[in-house]
Amino acid sequence: MILIDGNKVAAEMKQEITEEVKKIINNGGKAPHLAAVLVGHDGGSETYVAYKIKDCEAVGFKSSLIRYEDYVTEKELLAKIEELNNDDDLDGFIVQLPLPKHISEQKVIEAINPKKDVDGFHPANVGRMVIGLPSYVSATPFGIVELLKRYKIETNGKNCVIVGRSNIVVRPLSVLMSQKAVNATVTVAHSRTENLEEVCRNADILIAAIGVPEFVKGNMVKKGAVVIDVGTTRVKSDLTKSGWKLKGDVLFEEVAEKCSYITPVPGGVGPMTRVSLLLNTLLSAKGEIYK
Ligand code: GUN
């Protein structure tokens, strides 16, 4: 079994991005600029946004953090988005999800100019991705495909089963995995799938993105399968300083001994998600998606 080291691949990619930023600046250009909008004080969102800002610094990007308390109105937030859409210095921005219940996430996503939507959540980017046009691809699916590519894992003609149905991960990933660059045969399975265990056992590449800790057990995995764990549920822990730890969607102890490759949690998909956002911002700065 080979443990897929997302930290190592992400570090390589960050190095490549850093080199590109240096080139841009040496040629008289400006550093790519990413902004993040954070509403409220959700622990997970605080952590993710702090990482995004730190990652920008690490590769030489400019970053901006815009914070609101959770009582901000939808109108105020939409006005800020309009301002960011029109900020010529900004290459891209994200609004960290989830948002408080009184704000429509869909309205917010659709208010973002697709040309600055480096999260790739806007229907225009999702639609462009589906039909194979240049687009910002959402970070986790992009990161997973890149991880498979960089580990030279055979995907051509392979059976890929993705468990889950989220718009951010599962839908785009199912499309990417079936496109010509990857060539897998894709099944999207979920809580209503009949014989789910058997469907999973058919997978050469099994991707767990259901958001239920340790959902995928040893008896759901074919011997020699590649297993990608997208789960990042925070569970209480007495063993860590923070009082919580991350749990994946795969029961690692049982599955690791059956598969050929597996991503750990943490240190597998997570770092790739982070670096993919940087890559989208770089693509925007270089004008490579919307020409
Ligand atoms: N919440 C969880 N993941 C993400 C992400 O990739 N982008 C944003 N904006 N919010 C998230």
Side-chain angles (χ1 to χ4, degrees):
M1 182 273 291
I2 293 172
L3 196 63
I4 296 181
D5 189 344
N7 281 320
K8 181 170 144 262
V9 176
E12 284 166 15
M13 290 175 70
K14 272 161 94 170
Q15 192 52 42
E16 291 162 16
I17 294 170
T18 306
E19 297 301 323
E20 285 227 37
V21 174
K22 280 185 192 152
K23 258 191 236 159
I24 291 171
I25 290 170
N26 286 342
N27 289 336
K30 71 166 195 69
H33 183 183
L34 173 72
V37 179
L38 175 60
V39 179
H41 297 274
D42 171 78
S45 295
E46 290 266 6
T47 307
Y48 294 136
V49 169
Y51 278 143
K52 287 170 189 181
I53 301 292
K54 198 170 131 223
D55 288 341
C56 283
E57 274 171 31
V59 297
F61 285 7
K62 187 174 164 188
S63 65
S64 303
L65 172 60
I66 298 133
R67 298 197 67 131
Y68 288 101
E69 291 301 326
D70 53 15
Y71 49 76
V72 67
T73 63
E74 186 179 275
K75 197 171 160 201
E76 262 180 283
L77 193 57
L78 291 173
K80 173 53 80 176
I81 289 170
E82 190 53 25
E83 188 187 313
L84 298 176
N85 282 340
N86 294 315
D87 181 345
D88 289 338
D89 190 61
L90 209 51
D91 297 293
F93 66 97
I94 64 125
V95 179
Q96 188 67 24
L97 305 178
L99 291 170
K101 295 261 177 302
H102 65 278
I103 299 174
S104 159
E105 288 188 354
Q106 199 53 37
K107 233 188 210 177
V108 165
I109 289 169
E110 291 188 40
I112 298 172
N113 181 341
K115 295 180 180 173
K116 292 197 173 175
D117 168 41
V118 284
D119 254 334
F121 292 172
H122 192 287
N125 279 314
V126 179
R128 287 171 67 98
M129 186 274 294
V130 169
I131 59 173
L133 291 175
S135 61
Y136 299 112
V137 178
S138 81
T140 300
F142 184 86
I144 290 169
V145 171
E146 194 62 26
L147 208 48
L148 294 171
K149 213 191 292 175
R150 292 198 181 218
Y151 266 84
K152 299 191 167 56
I153 290 170
E154 183 60 79
T155 55
N156 256 291
K158 298 295 179 189
N159 253 338
C160 172
V161 175
I162 310 174
V163 188
R165 45 175 140 208
S166 64
N167 285 341
I168 292 181
V169 178
V170 176
R171 299 275 166 235
L173 186 58
S174 67
V175 174
L176 289 179
M177 290 299 292
S178 70
Q179 280 174 342
K180 279 207 166 145
V182 183
N183 268 328
T185 304
V186 180
T187 303
V188 176
H190 41 75
S191 55
R192 295 292 178 93
T193 299
E194 284 186 10
N195 305 320
L196 180 63
E197 293 181 2
E198 198 183 318
V199 170
C200 290
R201 268 198 304 276
N202 248 326
D204 302 308
I205 301 168
L206 180 61
I207 305 177
I210 196 167
V212 179
E214 301 182 336
F215 180 84
V216 173
K217 310 283 194 289
N219 68 348
M220 296 165 75
V221 178
K222 176 160 82 176
K223 201 163 170 14
V226 175
V227 178
I228 305 291
D229 189 347
V230 185
T232 52
T233 307
R234 284 179 163 211
V235 295
K236 283 209 170 83
S237 170
D238 296 332
L239 302 172
T240 61
K241 217 164 62 181
S242 60
W244 55 266
K245 66 175 197 164
L246 281 186
K247 267 218 165 138
D249 287 357
V250 174
L251 182 53
F252 189 89
E253 293 75 19
E254 278 186 25
V255 172
E257 56 193 47
K258 294 189 81 177
C259 56
S260 57
Y261 291 86
I262 189 167
T263 59
V265 175
V269 172
M272 295 301 292
T273 297
R274 285 168 54 185
V275 82
S276 300
L277 179 65
L278 297 176
L279 208 51
N280 274 346
T281 307
L282 180 65
L283 289 172
S284 176
K286 289 164 69 183
E288 285 190 5
I289 302 295
Y290 289 90
K291 297 190 188 222

